[in-house]
Amino acid sequence: MKKISLTSLVVASILTFSACNSNPNNSEENKDSKEVAEEQNEQALDDTKMEDDAEFAIAAADGGLMEVKLGELAQTNGTSAGVKKFAQSMVTDHGKANSELKALAQQKNITLPVTLSDDKQKKFDELSKKKGAEFDEAYAAFMVDDHKEDISEFEEAAKDAKDPDVKAWAAGKVPVLKHHLEMAEALKDAKK
């Protein structure tokens, strides 16, 4: 009888603790997709050398998702033919890269975010409030800064990634990112 009472007490304590811990703000639904992916990779890849590669893949996926979404936004909020043409190449090139990365991540058992991180969503929301020439200028300036950062991250992964496939994928994207940077700089200069 004591065992049943003790077991009941333990179960009741666990249920009470988990009920107290089930804050709706902590639910998986409200969590940043990038953070969820990072947590899943930490658990899955904890004892492997892939953890840094997984972090790079998550950041690349998050950035790629944003590039596509911003490219689509530029099709509606932008006015310049140059901005729209550049935006279409962002959708095409980053969409292709996102598909390649998704396939690579599945091979390597890396979880990627499926929606924009809170940080990237905030930038998207900020740009989505702009229209016309104001949008064109802000989008071009952001694309210059963003691609400089991307190039740095991809060059580092191309040099330091532990997995040869991740390393090769990153290295293969550097020339495309550099081309995007040149195009973005030309757009930014044209808006001055």
Side-chain angles (χ1 to χ4, degrees), residues 41-54:
N41 288 328
E42 280 178 26
Q43 292 171 357
L45 306 171
D46 194 32
D47 294 332
T48 70
K49 297 175 184 170
M50 287 291 293
E51 206 169 324
D52 289 341
D53 292 359

Side-chain angles (χ1 to χ4, degrees), residues 97-110:
N98 291 351
S99 296
E100 292 170 2
L101 180 57
K102 188 176 179 183
L104 180 61
Q106 284 176 331
Q107 263 182 357
K108 305 297 178 182
N109 199 28
I110 296 173

